[in-house]
Amino acid sequence: MTTQKLLKTTAFYALVVVIVVFSVFPFYYAIVTSFSTGTELFKVNYFPRSFDWSNYTRVLGQRNFAQSILNSVFIATTTVVFALFLAVTASYALARVRFRGRGLLLMTILAVSMFPQIAVLAGLFELIRFIGIFNTPWAMILSYTIFTLPFTVWVLTTFMRDLPVEIEEAAIVDGATPWIVITRVFLPLLWPALVTTGLLAFIGAWNEFLFALTFTSSETTRTVPVAIGLLSGASQQEIPWGPIMAASVIVTVPLVILVLIFQRKIVAGLTAGGVKG
Amino acid sequence: MTAAPIAPRKAGTRELSLQQQRQRAAFWFLAPMLFALICVAAWPLLRTIWFSFTDTTLSNLYGGKWIGLDNYLSMRTLSSGKVIYRGTLVDPAWWNAVWNTVRFAITSVLIETVLGLIVALVLNAEFKGRGLVRAAILIPWAIPTIVSAKMWAWMLNDQFGIINDILLSVGLIDQKIAWTASTDTAMYAVLMVDIWKTTPFMALLILAGLQMVPRDIYEAAKLDGINPVKVFFKVTLPLIRPALMVAVIFRMLDALRVFDLVYVLTPNSAATKTMSVISRENMIDFDKFAYGAAQSTLLFAILAVFVSLYIWLGRVDLSGDSKQ
């Protein structure tokens, strides 16, 4: 009995170890590679042999890559602020006010979040050319709204629906207008949800590739994923793996740290969408 | 408004005006969001569909003429009496892309569901270091797809890649495989990366469902001496079915529109080219803007039909509105 139990525990922990190694190893290996240069790069090393920062200095020394990081930060931040601003007021209306067609509207918003991006690409391309924001950060900020806005509205609506009615009624009895109710009563209670949705929307905007690839045409306006995706050497044989791995580590480490800090909130936010039992 | 004392008699009329006031405010609160969604979703979608019926090119966006269904299918009889069909619906490259996409979506979602279920069951058990494991599985999810594609492209490199090295030293293969370049293995490479990257998402969604299963059910089953495997299939699985169905549809939609992973990991490989990749290629790279628009319209139609069928047949409740 006890040996069987021991065997079970061992098997369980073996499974745990497999899961952890499988999840972490590719990132670990990218870090190891990013610190190797020259011939060291072309030997398979399971453990770091050297700590050579030259891949990092080479990547950050390229003006365009630093510019791409700035572009990505600006685009993702503006997109999130924009989406949250529109979503807070909209989700108040969707969660708190009864009106005809509310259910239909919610389903439409969910449907938009499922749109394949390629289906709007041609139309957006025309729109962006028409407004004259092609090859500027605003092209991305506009187009990213299609996936950040429905998502933030959806999550904030489910969150706001769970807030107690009493506090709102008390405010209304005191003569508060809906605008006051949102800004003075709900906003202070909402901030955990805002942090979560904001972070998830930020990650979505930071990682987006299709729109950023299509709506930029020069190296200085690229976002980080496009810059990394198109980083290449003179030929197929000369792919600069060291710098690519260094660039990958640079853009991933801040995300990983953010995710680890906010992991509880992120898990809650990810599952708040459809899975409510 | 002043906080004047409310006479009970007037309460009815005041209530009504309050309700009206709230509905008016609701309209103005919703208007900016609706306007934004119309600008970035509804209008571009309609324009894409419109373009698919024209012969618009990238260099001349406004010079397109209406050509009806010719981008989809057209029939022409030559003077010799031979009939020629043209258009996306008879384009072998398109059907190859459809087949690639469907194969990719079904295989990846199936494996991710099984693996996600296993990871979720592990995370649902109580053990030391559970928080650490959950943190570890969030890492693949947080890494941008492009970065994961590059990381794996390096690991799958035919000459210097660590995967070939491991497999060689274990003895599973006897010569180095060009994973991403060879047509036989390119799809496996894409599947590998996708499974690695999205299993955590699946696991977290399933875990949320698992945590809603009351613990005393397991206790009772244990006391009755029922086989845990039987408990899983007879009790746990039916209870988490709603969560599972939602997780599967979200993943399926993501997989059917996959673009970035394929584009970066296996560029220009006919063995992995998906519907999204081929549409964009026609639209932007080959200057067949309208033809690409027709293909993306088809992709949209396929997804719409699939989602409707899934929700209808699976009776999935996506609304989360059950409380009210």
Side-chain angles (χ1 to χ4, degrees):
Chain A
M1 189 65 193
T2 42
T3 47
Q4 201 191 355
K5 202 177 175 190
L6 192 73
L7 210 67
K8 265 187 183 168
T9 319
T10 320
F12 180 80
Y13 275 99
L15 187 60
V16 168
V17 170
V18 168
I19 292 173
V20 172
V21 169
F22 186 67
S23 309
V24 178
F25 186 78
F27 187 48
Y28 163 80
Y29 192 63
I31 298 175
V32 171
T33 307
S34 71
F35 283 115
S36 7
T37 47
T39 54
E40 195 69 14
L41 192 61
F42 300 113
K43 285 183 220 148
V44 175
N45 291 325
Y46 291 83
F47 300 100
R49 290 280 168 77
S50 56
F51 275 100
D52 191 335
W53 290 89
S54 60
N55 285 327
Y56 287 90
T57 48
R58 202 177 133 195
V59 162
L60 289 173
Q62 289 177 355
R63 269 192 51 147
N64 289 339
F65 190 73
Q67 180 66 44
S68 295
I69 294 181
L70 287 181
N71 290 342
S72 272
V73 170
F74 174 69
I75 290 169
T77 315
T78 317
T79 309
V80 169
V81 171
F82 189 55
L84 284 182
F85 177 73
L86 289 179
V88 166
T89 50
S91 55
Y92 169 79
L94 285 168
R96 290 305 187 156
V97 184
R98 287 179 177 281
F99 57 89
R100 252 197 300 171
R102 183 171 67 166
L104 187 71
L105 193 59
L106 268 171
M107 288 317 284
T108 313
I109 290 168
L110 186 67
V112 171
S113 76
M114 294 180 178
F115 262 34
Q117 291 181 11
I118 192 83
V120 293
L121 194 72
L124 266 180
F125 186 83
E126 185 207 16
L127 182 71
I128 281 167
R129 277 287 177 83
F130 179 75
I131 317 176
I133 54 172
F134 183 76
N135 204 23
T136 69
W138 300 105
M140 269 68 81
I141 291 167
L142 177 78
S143 52
Y144 290 179
T145 308
I146 193 175
F147 58 87
T148 53
L149 190 56
F151 165 76
T152 40
V153 168
W154 186 262
V155 177
L156 287 181
T157 303
T158 40
F159 190 88
M160 227 185 275
R161 203 151 47 187
D162 294 343
L163 292 178
V165 195
E166 288 79 15
I167 46 167
E168 192 188 354
E169 279 175 350
I172 292 172
V173 168
D174 285 347
T177 59
W179 177 250
I180 299 278
V181 172
I182 292 180
T183 51
R184 298 280 170 80
V185 182
F186 277 151
L187 219 47
L189 295 169
L190 270 182
W191 78 263
L194 288 179
V195 171
T196 313
T197 44
L199 196 63
L200 288 172
F202 186 90
I203 292 175
W206 180 270
N207 295 353
E208 204 281 335
F209 183 67
L210 174 59
F211 288 153
L213 178 72
T214 310
F215 300 146
T216 58
S217 59
S218 56
E219 282 192 30
T220 49
T221 50
R222 281 177 186 165
T223 61
V224 166
V226 181
I228 292 179
L230 302 182
L231 203 67
S232 56
S235 72
Q236 184 68 24
Q237 275 68 43
E238 291 173 53
I239 298 171
W241 287 111
I244 288 179
M245 289 303 131
S248 301
V249 173
I250 292 170
V251 301
T252 308
V253 163
L255 280 193
V256 168
I257 292 173
L258 272 180
V259 166
L260 294 187
I261 293 173
F262 291 102
Q263 55 162 311
R264 273 175 191 287
K265 285 192 184 306
I266 285 178
V267 172
L270 273 181
T271 50
V275 195
K276 291 220 93 185
Chain B
M1 261 196 272
T2 52
I6 306 160
R9 197 159 38 88
K10 273 190 172 177
T13 53
R14 192 186 155 89
E15 191 95 300
L16 191 74
S17 69
L18 192 69
Q19 179 66 14
Q20 279 173 339
Q21 185 201 347
R22 279 166 67 82
Q23 281 181 351
R24 198 163 304 149
F27 172 77
W28 286 110
F29 285 158
L30 284 170
M33 178 209 59
L34 288 176
F35 178 72
L37 283 186
I38 287 169
C39 280
V40 296
W43 172 252
L45 179 69
L46 290 177
R47 284 302 285 176
T48 302
I49 297 173
W50 162 266
F51 280 134
S52 76
F53 295 118
T54 66
D55 60 356
T56 309
T57 57
L58 190 64
S59 42
N60 190 5
L61 279 180
Y62 296 100
K65 288 190 309 293
W66 180 271
I67 56 165
L69 290 169
D70 281 7
N71 283 321
Y72 296 94
L73 187 66
S74 68
M75 198 177 80
R76 196 179 305 157
T77 316
L78 297 182
S79 50
S80 60
K82 208 174 151 197
V83 182
I84 294 182
Y85 292 98
R86 302 180 86 181
T88 306
L89 290 176
V90 287
D91 184 348
W94 165 252
W95 287 110
N96 176 51
V98 173
W99 168 236
N100 281 340
T101 314
V102 170
R103 202 162 48 129
F104 166 79
I106 291 178
T107 323
S108 68
V109 174
L110 201 69
I111 298 177
E112 282 156 23
T113 310
V114 174
L115 291 181
L117 205 56
I118 294 173
V119 175
L121 285 172
V122 166
L123 283 176
N124 199 37
E126 273 169 35
F127 63 95
K128 263 187 201 146
R130 183 165 67 160
L132 207 71
V133 179
R134 199 177 57 179
I137 67 158
L138 272 173
I139 289 179
W141 174 82
I143 294 177
T145 313
I146 299 308
V147 171
S148 346
K150 284 289 180 191
M151 276 171 16
W152 279 84
W154 170 235
M155 288 181 23
L156 291 167
N157 187 288
D158 50 345
Q159 290 304 310
F160 318 112
I162 194 166
I163 305 265
N164 276 341
D165 191 68
I166 293 172
L167 292 179
L168 273 177
S169 58
V170 177
L172 276 174
I173 53 173
D174 41 22
Q175 58 185 21
K176 290 179 170 176
I177 297 177
W179 289 97
T180 54
S182 153
T183 47
D184 299 330
T185 53
M187 185 53 96
Y188 293 123
V190 173
L191 281 170
M192 230 185 283
V193 185
D194 191 71
I195 289 164
W196 174 76
K197 175 147 175 60
T198 42
T199 300
F201 176 76
M202 209 65 176
L204 290 175
L205 286 189
I206 297 173
L207 181 64
L210 275 178
Q211 280 169 344
M212 271 178 250
V213 179
R215 294 243 166 212
D216 21 330
I217 289 183
Y218 299 118
E219 300 289 324
K222 208 173 186 178
L223 282 178
D224 292 344
I226 299 170
N227 188 346
V229 180
K230 202 173 171 188
V231 173
F232 173 75
F233 281 105
K234 293 278 173 184
V235 180
T236 317
L237 211 52
L239 279 173
I240 61 167
R241 187 181 161 274
L244 208 58
M245 294 291 279
V246 173
V248 166
I249 185 81
F250 274 109
R251 273 303 310 142
M252 202 68 194
L253 283 170
D254 249 8
L256 285 171
R257 63 188 177 192
V258 62
F259 174 81
D260 36 11
L261 178 59
V262 177
Y263 186 89
V264 172
L265 189 67
T266 57
N268 289 321
S269 166
T272 56
K273 207 169 269 182
T274 61
M275 291 190 266
S276 285
V277 175
I278 202 169
S279 310
R280 186 191 176 276
E281 192 178 73
N282 278 319
M283 228 184 274
I284 308 292
D285 299 336
F286 294 166
D287 200 20
K288 295 199 278 186
F289 194 74
Y291 194 67
Q295 293 181 328
S296 51
T297 306
L298 280 178
L299 169 61
F300 180 77
I302 293 173
L303 285 197
V305 169
F306 170 73
V307 173
S308 321
L309 278 180
Y310 187 91
I311 291 177
W312 182 51
L313 292 177
R315 292 188 201 85
V316 186
D317 178 29
L318 289 173
S319 65
D321 215 15
S322 49
K323 279 182 191 166
Q324 289 182 342

